[in-house]
Amino acid sequence: MEEITNQKIWDNFVTSKSDYTFLQSWDWGEFQKTQGEKVWRFKEVGQVFTVSARRGKFLFIPHGWGFNKDLINLAKSEGCSFIRESPWLEDTETNRNLFKKFGFRSAPSIMHAEETWLVPITKSEEEILAEMGKTHRNLIRRAVKDGVIIEKSADVDILNDLQLEAARRHGFVPFSKKYLDREIETFGKNAVLFVGKWQGLTLSAALIIFYGRFAFYFQSGSKQTKIPVNYLLQWEVIKEAKRRGCTIYNMWGVSAENKRNAGGLYTFKSGFGGYQKNYLHAQDLVLSPRYWLTYALERIPRRLRSLI
C-alpha cells in the first residue's frame, strides 16, 4: 500500500473525492496522536490508527473507502485483536458483500455517524430558506424577533458545560473537557464554536468542522428552553459555510444511541431541507479470540459500561 506522509498531499487527495468526512483529514489523525495512538495514511483504504481501549486494542479506519489485506499484518504487528472499519460507502448489498468477501462481520456498536442528514447549500440564502420546513423558517424568524444572538467563541468551557447538561437530560456519555480542548486546538481555524445567547443567558453551543467543500455539525450541547435558539444557530452555521465556499452541510447522524431521542433528532435536522444518506454499519475483522471480550462489552449500553 502507498503511505502518504505529507499533509498537503493527503488533504488534497481526500477532498478531491466526491464524498468524505473530516475523520479522514490530516488534523483528525494528528488529534489521534495526542491520544497516544499510532496513525498511518494509505491511499488505497484511508487513514488508519490504533485504538487502545480498556477492552482491548484494535486497528480502526473511520469513514474509509476500502480494505487491503496488508492491514492484517499491520494490525497483528501492533498487537490488535481485530480490525474495524466504519466505511464511508453507501449501505447497499454490493458494498455489504464487499466486506463479507474479506471475512468481516457486523460490529456490535456504532463508532461514528452512519445515518446522516445532508443539506445542499449552493443556492441563495432565500432559496435555502424556502426549501426548509415552514416550522423551521418560522422558528428562525421568531428567534431573531426574540433577540437571540449567535456568536463565535473560543471558550471551550461553554461547550463542555452545555454538553454535560444535555448528557444528564438525554442519557448519553459526554466527552471530557480535555478531549474537547485537544480537538479544537488540533483543528485550529477549521473548528468554529457557535454559541447561542438570549437575554444574557448562554443556551446553546455547536462545534462545526470545516473541511474542503463540506461543513460538519460535530459536537453540541444546550439547555432545555422554549427559546428557538438552536434553529437560528444552525441557520448562522449554514451562512458561514456558504461564505467559506462549502457546498454541503453535513448535519451528522439522525439516529441516536438513546432511541427515545431519535425522533426529535430526525425532525430537527430534516426540517432544514436536504436528504438522508445511509452508510454501511461498522465492520469487524476478527484476528484473535480477545475480540469476543470487546464484542460482549459493546453489547452493554455505553452509559452502563463504566459500572463494570
Side-chain angles (χ1 to χ4, degrees):
M1 292 186 293
E2 180 183 353
E3 184 176 3
I4 296 178
T5 57
N6 178 278
Q7 179 175 1
K8 184 176 181 181
I9 292 174
W10 178 256
D11 281 332
N12 285 343
F13 172 66
V14 173
T15 57
S16 70
K17 292 182 170 295
S18 60
D19 198 7
Y20 59 86
T21 78
F22 69 92
L23 297 180
Q24 282 296 321
S25 69
W26 184 276
D27 285 343
W28 186 252
E30 295 307 292
F31 170 66
Q32 297 306 318
K33 290 181 181 179
T34 71
Q35 306 301 301
E37 305 298 351
K38 292 184 178 180
V39 179
W40 302 265
R41 300 170 177 98
F42 298 115
K43 200 169 184 179
E44 294 84 353
V45 298
Q47 185 162 247
V48 180
F49 53 85
T50 57
V51 175
S52 305
R54 185 177 62 175
R55 61 187 182 273
K57 188 176 182 182
F58 62 95
L59 203 65
F60 184 42
I61 313 167
H63 292 171
W65 45 81
F67 181 73
N68 187 294
K69 289 184 178 180
D70 288 344
L71 289 176
I72 296 175
N73 291 331
L74 176 62
K76 289 181 176 178
S77 70
E78 294 295 328
C80 297
S81 59
F82 65 100
I83 298 172
R84 174 169 292 173
E85 180 163 1
S86 293
W88 205 237
L89 300 171
E90 282 196 78
D91 187 13
T92 65
E93 184 175 357
T94 298
N95 286 333
R96 287 193 293 271
N97 288 337
L98 176 67
F99 281 85
K100 285 181 181 179
K101 180 182 70 175
F102 286 112
F104 280 82
R105 56 177 290 118
S106 181
S109 63
I110 295 173
M111 294 293 287
H112 293 293
E114 296 177 354
E115 299 172 352
T116 64
W117 193 265
L118 307 178
V119 181
I121 56 175
T122 56
K123 295 181 180 179
S124 68
E125 291 181 9
E126 292 75 18
E127 290 173 309
I128 295 172
L129 275 169
E131 291 178 354
M132 291 184 188
K134 181 180 178 181
T135 299
H136 278 52
R137 287 197 304 272
N138 289 338
L139 288 171
I140 290 170
R141 295 182 182 119
R142 182 187 140 194
V144 173
K145 184 178 179 181
D146 288 348
V148 172
I149 297 172
I150 307 301
E151 299 176 342
K152 296 173 186 175
S153 176
D155 190 351
V156 184
D157 284 332
I158 294 174
L159 176 61
N160 182 62
D161 292 345
L162 290 171
Q163 198 169 82
L164 287 171
E165 185 164 337
R168 287 191 292 268
R169 194 165 66 247
H170 295 299
F172 66 87
V173 180
F175 293 103
S176 68
K177 181 180 179 295
K178 183 178 180 180
Y179 187 94
L180 296 174
D181 273 328
R182 285 182 174 175
E183 262 184 352
I184 293 175
E185 181 182 351
T186 305
F187 277 98
K189 65 181 180 180
N190 292 323
V192 179
L193 181 61
F194 289 79
V195 176
K197 298 181 178 181
W198 176 76
Q199 295 188 355
L201 300 174
T202 301
L203 300 178
S204 180
L207 178 62
I208 309 299
I209 306 294
F210 298 95
Y211 185 49
R213 63 186 180 281
F214 286 83
F216 300 90
Y217 178 26
F218 185 40
Q219 303 272 13
S220 65
S222 64
K223 291 181 179 292
Q224 195 163 18
T225 177
K226 293 182 179 180
I227 305 300
V229 58
N230 286 317
Y231 296 85
L232 183 59
L233 188 152
Q234 292 300 323
W235 176 232
E236 292 300 324
V237 169
I238 288 171
K239 291 193 289 184
E240 175 69 17
K242 280 182 64 63
R243 286 192 290 270
R244 289 176 176 242
C246 297
T247 60
I248 293 285
Y249 180 32
N250 186 326
M251 297 193 77
W252 221 231
V254 289
S255 60
E257 182 178 351
N258 185 333
K259 296 302 180 183
R260 293 176 301 171
N261 305 322
L265 191 66
Y266 179 86
T267 300
F268 174 70
K269 293 184 178 182
S270 62
F272 288 96
Y275 57 95
Q276 183 171 334
K277 192 171 184 179
N278 295 340
Y279 296 86
L280 281 182
H281 178 60
Q283 302 288 308
D284 289 349
L285 182 63
V286 181
L287 302 177
S288 162
R290 298 195 309 275
Y291 165 79
W292 298 106
L293 173 60
T294 296
Y295 181 87
L297 287 173
E298 289 188 356
R299 297 279 292 178
I300 301 170
R302 188 174 299 178
R303 66 184 183 279
L304 299 178
R305 290 178 202 164
S306 61
L307 303 177
I308 298 176

